[in-house]
Short mmCIF file of all heavy atoms in Angstrom, two decimals:
data_model
loop_
_atom_site.label_atom_id
_atom_site.label_comp_id
_atom_site.label_asym_id
_atom_site.label_seq_id
_atom_site.Cartn_x
_atom_site.Cartn_y
_atom_site.Cartn_z
N SER A 1 -3.24 -8.43 -13.19
CA SER A 1 -2.94 -6.99 -13.58
C SER A 1 -3.80 -5.99 -12.71
O SER A 1 -3.27 -5.03 -12.15
CB SER A 1 -3.19 -6.76 -15.09
OG SER A 1 -2.95 -5.42 -15.43
N GLU A 2 -5.08 -6.38 -12.65
CA GLU A 2 -6.01 -5.57 -11.86
C GLU A 2 -5.56 -5.53 -10.46
O GLU A 2 -5.68 -4.50 -9.75
CB GLU A 2 -7.52 -5.99 -12.20
CG GLU A 2 -8.40 -5.03 -11.58
CD GLU A 2 -9.85 -5.35 -11.80
OE1 GLU A 2 -10.08 -6.35 -12.56
OE2 GLU A 2 -10.79 -4.80 -11.18
N ALA A 3 -5.25 -6.69 -10.02
CA ALA A 3 -4.91 -6.95 -8.51
C ALA A 3 -3.72 -6.04 -8.18
O ALA A 3 -3.68 -5.38 -7.12
CB ALA A 3 -4.53 -8.33 -8.29
N GLU A 4 -2.73 -6.07 -9.14
CA GLU A 4 -1.50 -5.38 -8.83
C GLU A 4 -1.78 -3.79 -8.74
O GLU A 4 -1.30 -3.08 -7.93
CB GLU A 4 -0.41 -5.67 -9.86
CG GLU A 4 0.86 -4.96 -9.52
CD GLU A 4 1.99 -5.27 -10.49
OE1 GLU A 4 1.88 -6.16 -11.37
OE2 GLU A 4 3.03 -4.58 -10.45
N THR A 5 -2.55 -3.44 -9.71
CA THR A 5 -3.01 -1.93 -9.76
C THR A 5 -3.49 -1.48 -8.46
O THR A 5 -3.27 -0.46 -7.90
CB THR A 5 -3.82 -1.69 -11.01
OG1 THR A 5 -3.18 -1.91 -12.24
CG2 THR A 5 -4.26 -0.35 -11.11
N VAL A 6 -4.50 -2.25 -8.00
CA VAL A 6 -5.31 -1.88 -6.81
C VAL A 6 -4.30 -2.00 -5.59
O VAL A 6 -4.35 -1.06 -4.74
CB VAL A 6 -6.60 -2.83 -6.63
CG1 VAL A 6 -7.18 -2.44 -5.31
CG2 VAL A 6 -7.53 -2.51 -7.76
N ALA A 7 -3.49 -3.03 -5.53
CA ALA A 7 -2.60 -3.14 -4.42
C ALA A 7 -1.58 -2.06 -4.42
O ALA A 7 -1.19 -1.55 -3.23
CB ALA A 7 -1.96 -4.53 -4.44
N ARG A 8 -1.09 -1.76 -5.52
CA ARG A 8 -0.07 -0.61 -5.54
C ARG A 8 -0.73 0.77 -5.25
O ARG A 8 -0.10 1.58 -4.63
CB ARG A 8 0.59 -0.55 -6.88
CG ARG A 8 1.60 -1.62 -7.14
CD ARG A 8 2.47 -1.37 -8.40
NE ARG A 8 3.25 -2.53 -8.67
CZ ARG A 8 4.47 -2.75 -7.99
NH1 ARG A 8 4.83 -2.01 -7.09
NH2 ARG A 8 5.15 -3.86 -8.38
N SER A 9 -1.99 0.85 -5.51
CA SER A 9 -2.73 2.04 -5.20
C SER A 9 -2.82 2.13 -3.65
O SER A 9 -2.61 3.25 -3.09
CB SER A 9 -4.08 2.09 -5.81
OG SER A 9 -4.97 3.15 -5.25
N GLY A 10 -3.07 1.00 -3.01
CA GLY A 10 -3.25 1.05 -1.53
C GLY A 10 -1.80 1.36 -0.92
O GLY A 10 -1.65 2.04 0.07
N LEU A 11 -0.77 0.80 -1.51
CA LEU A 11 0.66 1.00 -1.05
C LEU A 11 0.95 2.58 -1.25
O LEU A 11 1.58 3.06 -0.23
CB LEU A 11 1.65 0.12 -1.74
CG LEU A 11 3.09 0.27 -1.42
CD1 LEU A 11 3.29 0.19 0.18
CD2 LEU A 11 4.03 -0.63 -2.28
N GLU A 12 0.60 3.06 -2.43
CA GLU A 12 0.95 4.46 -2.57
C GLU A 12 0.25 5.37 -1.58
O GLU A 12 0.85 6.33 -0.96
CB GLU A 12 0.49 4.90 -4.05
CG GLU A 12 0.84 6.22 -4.42
CD GLU A 12 0.34 6.62 -5.79
OE1 GLU A 12 0.54 5.75 -6.64
OE2 GLU A 12 -0.22 7.78 -6.03
N LEU A 13 -1.00 5.04 -1.27
CA LEU A 13 -1.67 5.82 -0.15
C LEU A 13 -1.04 5.63 1.16
O LEU A 13 -0.84 6.68 1.96
CB LEU A 13 -3.14 5.39 -0.13
CG LEU A 13 -4.20 5.99 -0.99
CD1 LEU A 13 -5.55 5.40 -0.81
CD2 LEU A 13 -4.24 7.58 -0.72
N ALA A 14 -0.64 4.46 1.39
CA ALA A 14 0.03 4.17 2.78
C ALA A 14 1.28 4.91 2.90
O ALA A 14 1.66 5.48 3.91
CB ALA A 14 0.21 2.67 2.98
N LEU A 15 2.04 4.88 1.83
CA LEU A 15 3.37 5.61 1.80
C LEU A 15 3.21 7.12 2.06
O LEU A 15 4.22 7.83 2.40
CB LEU A 15 4.14 5.34 0.50
CG LEU A 15 4.66 3.90 0.37
CD1 LEU A 15 5.20 3.63 -0.96
CD2 LEU A 15 5.79 3.61 1.47
N SER A 16 2.04 7.58 1.80
CA SER A 16 1.75 9.03 1.82
C SER A 16 1.43 9.47 3.39
O SER A 16 1.11 10.61 3.64
CB SER A 16 0.65 9.50 0.99
OG SER A 16 -0.58 9.12 1.44
N THR A 17 1.38 8.41 4.24
CA THR A 17 0.99 8.63 5.59
C THR A 17 2.19 8.26 6.52
O THR A 17 3.28 7.90 6.05
CB THR A 17 -0.17 7.68 6.05
OG1 THR A 17 0.34 6.39 6.17
CG2 THR A 17 -1.27 7.75 5.09
N GLU A 18 1.91 8.42 7.81
CA GLU A 18 2.99 8.08 8.75
C GLU A 18 2.44 6.81 9.59
O GLU A 18 3.04 6.46 10.59
CB GLU A 18 3.17 9.19 9.79
CG GLU A 18 3.72 10.47 9.29
CD GLU A 18 3.99 11.59 10.26
OE1 GLU A 18 3.69 11.33 11.44
OE2 GLU A 18 4.17 12.71 9.83
N TYR A 19 1.72 6.04 9.00
CA TYR A 19 1.02 4.82 9.55
C TYR A 19 1.95 3.66 9.21
O TYR A 19 1.80 2.96 8.11
CB TYR A 19 -0.32 4.53 9.03
CG TYR A 19 -1.38 5.78 9.29
CD1 TYR A 19 -2.29 6.06 8.40
CD2 TYR A 19 -1.33 6.40 10.54
CE1 TYR A 19 -3.20 7.15 8.64
CE2 TYR A 19 -2.19 7.48 10.75
CZ TYR A 19 -3.05 7.82 9.86
OH TYR A 19 -3.90 8.78 9.98
N ALA A 20 2.88 3.30 10.09
CA ALA A 20 3.73 2.18 9.80
C ALA A 20 3.09 0.96 9.57
O ALA A 20 3.40 0.15 8.69
CB ALA A 20 4.80 2.12 10.92
N SER A 21 2.13 0.62 10.39
CA SER A 21 1.42 -0.63 10.29
C SER A 21 0.72 -0.89 8.95
O SER A 21 0.87 -1.92 8.29
CB SER A 21 0.41 -0.95 11.40
OG SER A 21 1.07 -0.97 12.71
N GLN A 22 0.03 0.25 8.56
CA GLN A 22 -0.73 0.13 7.30
C GLN A 22 0.19 0.00 6.01
O GLN A 22 0.04 -0.68 5.10
CB GLN A 22 -1.57 1.34 7.11
CG GLN A 22 -2.93 1.22 7.92
CD GLN A 22 -2.77 1.40 9.37
OE1 GLN A 22 -1.84 2.01 9.80
NE2 GLN A 22 -3.70 0.82 10.08
N THR A 23 1.33 0.67 6.21
CA THR A 23 2.36 0.65 5.14
C THR A 23 2.97 -0.79 5.08
O THR A 23 3.06 -1.31 3.96
CB THR A 23 3.43 1.62 5.35
OG1 THR A 23 2.80 3.01 5.49
CG2 THR A 23 4.45 1.71 4.20
N ALA A 24 3.33 -1.35 6.13
CA ALA A 24 3.75 -2.67 6.11
C ALA A 24 2.86 -3.67 5.62
O ALA A 24 3.10 -4.52 4.78
CB ALA A 24 4.32 -3.12 7.56
N GLU A 25 1.52 -3.48 6.03
CA GLU A 25 0.40 -4.40 5.59
C GLU A 25 0.23 -4.24 4.07
O GLU A 25 -0.04 -5.20 3.34
CB GLU A 25 -0.83 -4.14 6.29
CG GLU A 25 -0.90 -4.51 7.71
CD GLU A 25 -2.13 -4.11 8.43
OE1 GLU A 25 -3.16 -3.88 7.81
OE2 GLU A 25 -2.03 -4.12 9.70
N ALA A 26 0.38 -3.06 3.49
CA ALA A 26 0.25 -2.78 2.08
C ALA A 26 1.42 -3.47 1.35
O ALA A 26 1.17 -4.05 0.28
CB ALA A 26 0.22 -1.25 1.80
N HIS A 27 2.61 -3.48 1.96
CA HIS A 27 3.78 -4.22 1.28
C HIS A 27 3.50 -5.70 1.25
O HIS A 27 3.73 -6.34 0.26
CB HIS A 27 5.12 -3.85 2.01
CG HIS A 27 5.71 -2.56 1.68
ND1 HIS A 27 6.23 -2.28 0.42
CD2 HIS A 27 5.93 -1.46 2.40
CE1 HIS A 27 6.78 -1.01 0.41
NE2 HIS A 27 6.55 -0.58 1.68
N MET A 28 2.97 -6.17 2.39
CA MET A 28 2.54 -7.63 2.49
C MET A 28 1.59 -7.97 1.51
O MET A 28 1.55 -9.07 0.87
CB MET A 28 2.21 -7.97 3.87
CG MET A 28 3.45 -7.88 4.80
SD MET A 28 3.04 -8.27 6.49
CE MET A 28 2.56 -10.01 6.38
N ALA A 29 0.52 -7.10 1.31
CA ALA A 29 -0.56 -7.44 0.35
C ALA A 29 -0.10 -7.49 -1.02
O ALA A 29 -0.37 -8.19 -1.90
CB ALA A 29 -1.66 -6.41 0.51
N LEU A 30 0.80 -6.48 -1.40
CA LEU A 30 1.41 -6.45 -2.78
C LEU A 30 2.22 -7.66 -2.95
O LEU A 30 2.27 -8.26 -4.03
CB LEU A 30 2.25 -5.14 -2.90
CG LEU A 30 2.80 -5.01 -4.31
CD1 LEU A 30 1.86 -5.09 -5.44
CD2 LEU A 30 3.61 -3.76 -4.39
#
């Protein structure tokens, strides 16, 4: 549960940027 919360937080931040690599990495981490 904690892992998902933190990973989704990272994905949410990534989605707020134009950084494609970080966004893809955040999807992969989730």
Side-chain angles (χ1 to χ4, degrees):
S1 180
E2 188 178 353
E4 183 178 355
T5 298
V6 174
R8 285 193 186 280
S9 173
L11 177 57
E12 184 178 319
L13 274 177
L15 289 168
S16 74
T17 73
E18 295 180 10
Y19 304 137
S21 291
Q22 281 74 24
T23 302
E25 288 173 21
H27 281 296
M28 291 178 63
L30 180 55

